[in-house]
Amino acid sequence: MELITEAMARALLPRRREDGHKGSFGKVYVLGGAVGYTGAPVYAGEAAVRTGSGLVFVGVPGEVYPIVASRCGVSMAHPIPERYEDLLARIAACDAAAIGPGLGRRPETERTVLRLLEELTIPVVLDADGINAVSAHIDVLTGRRCPTVVTPHEGEFLRLGGDLSQGRERAAEEFARRNGCVLVLKGPGTIVAAPDGRLLCNPTGNCGMAKGGSGDVLSGMILSLIGQGAAPFDAAACAVWLHGRAGDLCAQELTEYAMTPLDMIARLPAVFRQLRQ
């Protein structure tokens, strides 16, 4: 299995047009948030902005909208429309969507996630409660008309029907092939697997990243790179390296104990500067 290197991440990073405008660099959507989980969509949205997206929309339930909106810097929060058709239209107008950060596990929410996956024709990054929503309906992944990137930790991977008894590498490869998705199996040595059998392992990152919110940051980063035109597998591989490198900078400056997901977002400029040298 090949390691993701700095040179590889540099090569996979989408190029920015010098004459570009905000519409040139991706219009992306984060669907998430619930009572008690207001940080997750904020982290995902702000990470997408820091990774280069031109326009980032964050849709959250109305009851948490004031909290989320007050915490969003450049990403644009709005209450989720009451009518499903209006929500579908807003997301479908974007280049890519992330579904799940802090979304909660209400039955009506899970039904909405499944319907969106069936009807959307844009790439989707499926994380957290988005993953939980499909755990009993895994066939929805193979039925999608556009790529899906699924980003589980090992517990979520097992709920999706993954089999870790054969080892992480074999398990990731088999799952991606069987379900026709790009799999990002998070953990030490995060594995990125494609449906065609390609397999990469990420060497960056540290135990200080094992905190709530780190996965939301990664989802926003993958989303951003897809929205800027990167192929989903390339976007996932590049993002996990960038994410881990930002975590390593945090650990060096702040220690693994004191670093936070927001610190990782704040270190992304330094990581991009490194790749542009």
Side-chain angles (χ1 to χ4, degrees), residues 15 31 38 52 57 84 90 115 131 175 204 213 232 240:
R15 298 295 173 258
L31 179 65
T38 54
F57 299 95
Y84 169 80
R90 290 201 71 150
R115 191 172 176 185
I131 292 173
F175 185 93
T204 62
V240 297

Side-chain angles (χ1 to χ4, degrees), residues 15-30:
R15 298 295 173 258
R16 295 182 73 82
R17 288 172 41 193
E18 292 187 3
D19 63 345
H21 52 80
K22 61 187 176 184
S24 306
F25 302 116
K27 180 179 178 181
V28 299
Y29 194 100
V30 176

Side-chain angles (χ1 to χ4, degrees), residues 107-191:
E108 61 271 23
T109 300
E110 295 188 355
R111 287 193 293 270
T112 297
V113 170
L114 292 172
R115 191 172 176 185
L116 287 170
L117 288 171
E118 291 173 351
E119 299 181 13
L120 282 172
T121 56
I122 60 173
V124 169
V125 179
L126 201 60
D127 183 42
D129 289 321
I131 292 173
N132 290 326
V134 305
S135 59
H137 307 275
I138 193 67
D139 57 301
V140 74
L141 297 180
T142 56
R144 292 209 71 229
R145 289 172 283 176
C146 274
T148 311
V149 180
V150 187
T151 63
H153 56 60
E154 289 191 357
E156 291 166 335
F157 183 69
L158 292 173
R159 287 198 291 277
L160 286 171
D163 179 12
L164 290 170
S165 66
Q166 54 192 323
R168 284 168 55 87
E169 180 179 341
R170 178 69 182 277
E173 181 180 13
E174 181 181 310
F175 185 93
R177 284 185 185 275
R178 185 173 70 246
N179 294 291
C181 65
V182 172
L183 177 73
V184 178
L185 182 56
K186 295 183 294 192
T190 291
I191 295 173

Side-chain angles (χ1 to χ4, degrees), residues 27-31 44-45 48 53 56-57 95-99 123-125 218-228 235 239:
K27 180 179 178 181
V28 299
Y29 194 100
V30 176
L31 179 65
S53 291
V56 180
F57 299 95
D95 299 303
I99 297 178
V124 169
V125 179
L218 176 59
S219 293
M221 295 173 67
I222 298 171
L223 170 68
S224 178
L225 295 177
I226 294 174
Q228 292 174 66

Side-chain angles (χ1 to χ4, degrees), residues 25-79:
F25 302 116
K27 180 179 178 181
V28 299
Y29 194 100
V30 176
L31 179 65
V35 174
Y37 298 98
T38 54
V42 174
Y43 295 164
E46 294 300 292
V49 172
R50 280 289 193 185
T51 307
S53 291
L55 292 165
V56 180
F57 299 95
V58 180
V60 297
E63 62 263 35
V64 301
Y65 165 71
I67 300 170
V68 172
S70 69
R71 298 181 65 188
C72 288
V74 182
S75 57
M76 296 168 283
H78 68 91

